[in-house]
Amino acid sequence: MPDNHHQSYDHYIKALMDISQAVTSDLFLEDVFKLIVMVVAKVTGVDICSLWLVDENSNPPKIRLKATQAIEPEYMIDRSLNLDEGVVGYVISTQKPLVIPDVLQCEIFKEKEMARKLGLVSMVGVPLQGKKEKIIGVLNCFTSVPHEFSKTDINLLTTVANQAAVAILNTELIINTKIIEEELKARKKIERAKEIIMERQSLNGDDAYRWIRKRSMDSRKTMLEVAEAILLSNELY
């Protein structure tokens, strides 16, 4: 890419491997986002790489800025666009890469103040394609000098972006699975604690549950913490 039109495919293969490793690691989702933009910026030589993801939990859905490797943290706070708004909205709606020779001359580019401040000129935005060709976000790459992104550049970036989509989706799946597992463990502990309270205080199941919940509220601790204390006390006596 910039200043190196003959960049080796090895760099992109390394990028794919680095992103793939995130799936099998213990990284949090935010760490995966940061890893993606850092790896892409490094192997492409662009000045700024940013990652936007669709938030379907919003009503209506939004696309939110999740990571960038070279912008002040303040810029990251609650940056969001509608799905049909700006460059990222265009990439999502068309499901195709978008190349902009000069962002300051592009009508749909919304971040002109940021571009002037950072001296950004050219950019390419590529969609992150998940399962069943669903677009889950956009990867933007910026240069500080005029640059013509070649078809090869775009194809390689698209490959990396799709691998990033896989990493994100798989990490979300792993995290959600862990959350479910923790919730099941918590329920089992609370149920066991309820049985202990039923036996100790001759209460029925509903009253024992209410007893634990009241103790939780009075002590400002979670029901799980109260349940664990009950289980511990039962082991000691």
Side-chain angles (χ1 to χ4, degrees), residues 56-71:
E56 294 184 343
N57 293 322
S58 296
N59 188 17
K62 296 276 189 179
I63 181 163
R64 302 186 185 279
L65 178 62
K66 291 296 184 179
T68 179
Q69 98 294 354
I71 299 179

Side-chain angles (χ1 to χ4, degrees), residues 54-55 60-63 81-86 88-90 92-93:
V54 176
D55 180 5
K62 296 276 189 179
I63 181 163
L81 295 168
N82 296 322
L83 291 186
D84 59 351
E85 186 179 8
V88 289
Y90 182 90
I92 287 177
S93 62

